[in-house]
Amino acid sequence: MRAATAALASPLMEIVFLGTGCPVVSTERYGPAQLVLGQGAKVLVDCGSGVTQRLLAAGAPGRDLDALLLTHLHSDHLVDLYQLIVSSWHQGRDRPLPIYGPPGTRRYVEGLMALWEPELSLRIAHEKRPSIEALKIAVTEIAAGQSLSLGGLAVQVVEVDHQPVRHAFGFVFEEKGERLVLSGDTRRCAALVAAARGADLLVHEVFIHREMPVIPGVRSAETVASVASYHTLSDEVGKIAAEAGVKALALTHFVPPACDRAALLAEVAADFGGALILAEDLLRIDLTARRVAYGSAVLALGGGDVTAVSR
Ligand SMILES: [Zn+2]
Ligand SMILES: [Zn+2]
């Protein structure tokens, strides 16, 4: 009985969408962040605006994270890093947070900590907490093709195409035959399609062109074209999932955050016949149990085999 409870509490592979938005401020879709759970490990991918509140709501405070993975160094993906570090410490974290990110991550993290050093020194001296280990950040810069083991969870780093951003990664998580692929920010990219081939779930960003009109004083036609050029359009993403032959596709990083969901679903479903999910903040997909949970609703993901469900 005890073992069964523990197994339920530690799914073999689950993703929790913490923030499904982009740099555009939204009260519904916070900045990009997702939590991947596997074999007891908790890995945070990106830490956009509002991530610490969402982690708490997801029942996984920053204190408990095994690692932070960064897809790239665009502000929407890492703007809450300092808040994550300090709030994790306040929650009683007593070990450093390992951060894995592209070249430039060490410079960014060292600069961030240097910027806050006077504030942090004052806090440490004044608050007299039992440990300051949580404030000793361990950065590892990663490269495409690299394999990582984060808290026992196997991760493969894939180079994606988000030019002019020089280093942008997608990630492949693999656990006991379950394969979860995260696109990060990318335009249509052959390396990602190859990495995602046959995956149980592809989590992909999306840019919805018709929802991004020119607004005088806010964005020009050139702005829209430039931003669209390093993202994946809504009429491409279903084709990518179909080409990769993935079993399920979940869309996130909605640009813009507010969109006609039914129209988007119909557009993508025209190209991709597998399970299709438009992610929301705090939606969870459990690949082992093959179910999707959002609020109090639980849906069967379908497409699983009997051995996967009964394991
Ligand atoms: Zn982004
Ligand atoms: Zn980006």
Side-chain angles (χ1 to χ4, degrees):
M1 192 64 209
R2 206 182 188 130
T5 311
L8 280 176
S10 305
L12 286 176
M13 181 76 89
E14 182 175 23
I15 179 167
V16 185
F17 294 87
L18 300 169
T20 58
C22 63
V24 177
V25 180
S26 163
T27 52
E28 270 184 60
R29 297 192 187 278
Y30 285 11
Q34 44 261 303
L35 182 66
V36 178
L37 308 168
Q39 294 289 53
K42 294 185 172 75
V43 176
L44 178 65
V45 182
D46 291 337
C47 51
S49 179
V51 68
T52 54
Q53 290 88 337
R54 291 297 197 224
L55 279 168
L56 208 58
R63 175 193 61 214
D64 300 336
L65 295 175
D66 292 295
L68 167 64
L69 267 175
L70 296 172
T71 56
H72 64 303
L73 302 181
H74 259 159
S75 64
D76 52 322
H77 295 256
L78 78 168
V79 72
D80 266 12
L81 179 57
Y82 186 71
Q83 161 66 3
L84 175 68
I85 292 165
V86 172
S87 65
S88 300
W89 176 49
H90 282 176
Q91 290 160 352
R93 187 179 180 90
D94 59 0
R95 57 189 169 131
L97 176 68
I99 300 178
Y100 298 82
T105 302
R106 182 169 290 108
R107 181 169 170 265
Y108 175 81
V109 173
E110 285 176 359
L112 180 74
M113 297 311 282
L115 190 68
W116 285 101
E117 194 279 328
E119 192 265 357
L120 198 52
S121 298
L122 205 61
R123 274 188 190 279
I124 292 168
H126 187 69
E127 295 176 10
K128 298 181 174 53
R129 293 179 189 272
S131 166
I132 57 163
E133 289 300 303
L135 304 172
K136 296 175 183 167
I137 310 302
V139 174
T140 304
E141 294 190 342
I142 54 178
Q146 206 171 329
S147 297
L148 308 167
S149 177
L150 307 179
L153 191 58
V155 187
Q156 190 92 32
V157 183
V158 181
E159 181 135 50
V160 292
D161 183 0
H162 196 40
Q163 294 285 345
V165 175
R166 204 161 144 226
H167 302 287
F169 297 140
F171 298 115
V172 179
F173 291 84
E174 199 146 14
E175 196 59 59
K176 303 245 182 225
E178 239 88 59
R179 217 143 60 82
L180 164 61
V181 181
L182 266 59
S183 74
D185 282 16
T186 184
R187 58 169 63 90
R188 187 186 179 114
C189 169
L192 186 76
V193 172
R197 202 161 303 284
D200 296 277
L201 175 66
L202 171 62
V203 173
H204 208 292
E205 65 124 282
V206 65
F207 180 97
I208 310 137
H209 208 275
R210 64 180 165 277
E211 308 265 10
M212 290 289 283
V214 169
I215 302 174
V218 175
R219 55 184 181 238
S220 65
E222 288 78 13
T223 312
V224 175
S226 296
V227 177
S229 75
Y230 65 4
H231 287 297
T232 299
L233 304 184
S234 50
D235 64 1
E236 296 176 309
V237 72
K239 296 181 180 80
I240 290 167
E243 189 186 337
V246 300
K247 292 178 189 148
L249 169 66
L251 299 182
T252 189
H253 198 286
F254 292 83
V255 184
C259 67
D260 181 335
R261 289 169 170 82
L264 177 60
L265 194 79
E267 181 181 26
V268 180
D271 293 321
F272 176 65
L276 173 58
I277 298 143
L278 305 189
E280 302 287 339
D281 286 20
L282 296 175
L283 180 141
R284 312 171 79 106
I285 302 175
D286 184 333
L287 284 177
T288 309
R290 303 208 61 77
R291 71 187 166 218
V292 180
Y294 182 60
S296 56
V298 186
L299 308 169
L301 183 57
D305 56 65
V306 175
T307 46
V309 174
S310 62
R311 190 161 48 208

